[in-house]
Amino acid sequence: MASLQQILMAMYVAAGGRKAIFGYGYTSGDVSMTNLVSNTGVVSTDTTGVGTARNGLAAAGYGTDKAIFGYGNGPVSMTNLVSNTGVVSTDTTGVGTARAYLAAAGYGTDKAIFGYGYDSGAVVSMTNLVSNTGVVSTDTTGVGTERYILTAAGYGTDKAIFGYGDDTLGNFLSMTNLVSNTGVVSTDTTGVGTARNGLAAAGYGTDKAIFGYGSYGSNLSLTNLVSNTGVVSTDTTGVGTARAYLAAAGYGTDKAIFGYGVTNVNVSMTNLVSNTGVVSADTTGVGTARQVLAAAGFA
């Protein structure tokens, strides 16, 4: 009997693959806009007016073909669901502790998890699971080192990984926490590439993931591939313009895209990732330049 993952992959292939969405962020102020990404990696023009303008939020796919944006600077406790056609819903409030600069990823083939972040003066170590209908659970605390400005991605077809970040004490971190297919977060794994914050991550190649870019005093242009067992590789350098506070998502059946961020100014550019984890040169002019946004895949 075919597994759920095999069935989903057959659906994605038949439909031409998954799409992606970039959303929200900061220009000279917080914005409320999205940019859809086609199943071939083409980014659309801006769509405005999609929930409360904010930055420092996170996003992930859920329910096999939908996505969710959540939380953000304020900090706030709210989410916006994304339909399987890329339509963003109005705000839903009161979904766990208000916080910003957190991360999110899909797990368990149809669910998602938000984790970590900054809560009104302190970094936190907590997660909130998202059901396959987009319902966010109450807080689960004590899941690895408290940190913020980290990132997360799905890997291994049904698991997830949180990585890197900052503890607010001037310490850039090089660590990951694996998430099981039931949403259980593991203890810290340290020493996985250059310590940094403000990076992004996405799944690629059907069962792997990639961390990319970020800042360690200055902006970086490097990636770290993640195997289908959650092992993070050493740094690969020279992969497009060095920048931080960008976002990333999977698209198609097996590829990924990094987008936007800040150099010394906000930028509007993307870098496609092949199904073998190779990052392409910059593509510029893809919607409003901005930073501290979020992205997710949807079908």
Side-chain angles (χ1 to χ4, degrees), residues 7-213:
I7 293 170
L8 291 175
M9 185 53 63
M11 292 168 57
Y12 297 153
V13 171
R18 288 169 67 84
K19 302 175 180 66
I21 185 170
F22 289 99
Y24 303 89
Y26 182 89
T27 56
S28 56
D30 292 342
V31 295
S32 175
M33 63 174 58
T34 56
N35 300 84
L36 299 184
V37 182
S38 75
N39 58 10
T40 60
V42 177
V43 182
S44 71
T45 54
D46 301 334
T47 298
T48 58
V50 286
T52 295
R54 60 198 193 274
N55 72 72
L57 71 168
Y62 80 92
T64 74
D65 65 349
K66 301 174 183 66
I68 183 171
F69 289 100
Y71 304 91
N73 201 17
V76 297
S77 176
M78 64 173 59
T79 57
N80 300 84
L81 300 184
V82 182
S83 76
N84 59 8
T85 60
V87 177
V88 180
S89 71
T90 55
D91 302 334
T92 297
T93 58
V95 286
T97 295
R99 59 198 194 276
Y101 310 115
L102 70 167
Y107 78 92
T109 72
D110 63 353
K111 300 174 182 66
I113 183 171
F114 289 99
Y116 304 91
Y118 182 85
D119 169 25
S120 298
V123 287
V124 296
S125 175
M126 64 174 59
T127 57
N128 299 84
L129 302 183
V130 182
S131 76
N132 58 7
T133 60
V135 177
V136 181
S137 71
T138 55
D139 301 335
T140 298
T141 58
V143 287
T145 295
E146 296 91 343
R147 60 197 193 275
Y148 76 146
I149 324 178
L150 72 164
T151 191
Y155 79 94
T157 73
D158 61 356
K159 302 174 183 65
I161 183 171
F162 289 97
Y164 303 89
D166 186 338
D167 65 3
T168 74
L169 301 175
N171 297 317
F172 294 92
L173 303 173
S174 176
M175 64 174 55
T176 56
N177 298 84
L178 302 183
V179 182
S180 75
N181 59 6
T182 60
V184 177
V185 181
S186 71
T187 55
D188 301 334
T189 298
T190 58
V192 287
T194 296
R196 59 201 194 270
N197 68 19
L199 70 167
Y204 79 93
T206 73
D207 64 353
K208 301 174 182 66
I210 183 170
F211 292 103
Y213 304 91

Side-chain angles (χ1 to χ4, degrees), residues 161-268:
I161 183 171
F162 289 97
Y164 303 89
D166 186 338
D167 65 3
T168 74
L169 301 175
N171 297 317
F172 294 92
L173 303 173
S174 176
M175 64 174 55
T176 56
N177 298 84
L178 302 183
V179 182
S180 75
N181 59 6
T182 60
V184 177
V185 181
S186 71
T187 55
D188 301 334
T189 298
T190 58
V192 287
T194 296
R196 59 201 194 270
N197 68 19
L199 70 167
Y204 79 93
T206 73
D207 64 353
K208 301 174 182 66
I210 183 170
F211 292 103
Y213 304 91
S215 175
Y216 179 66
S218 60
N219 292 331
L220 302 169
S221 175
L222 56 90
T223 57
N224 300 84
L225 301 183
V226 182
S227 75
N228 59 6
T229 60
V231 177
V232 182
S233 71
T234 55
D235 301 335
T236 298
T237 59
V239 287
T241 296
R243 61 198 193 274
Y245 300 106
L246 69 167
Y251 77 92
T253 58
D254 58 0
K255 300 175 181 65
I257 184 171
F258 289 98
Y260 304 91
V262 61
T263 55
N264 58 334
V265 296
N266 295 331
V267 295
S268 175

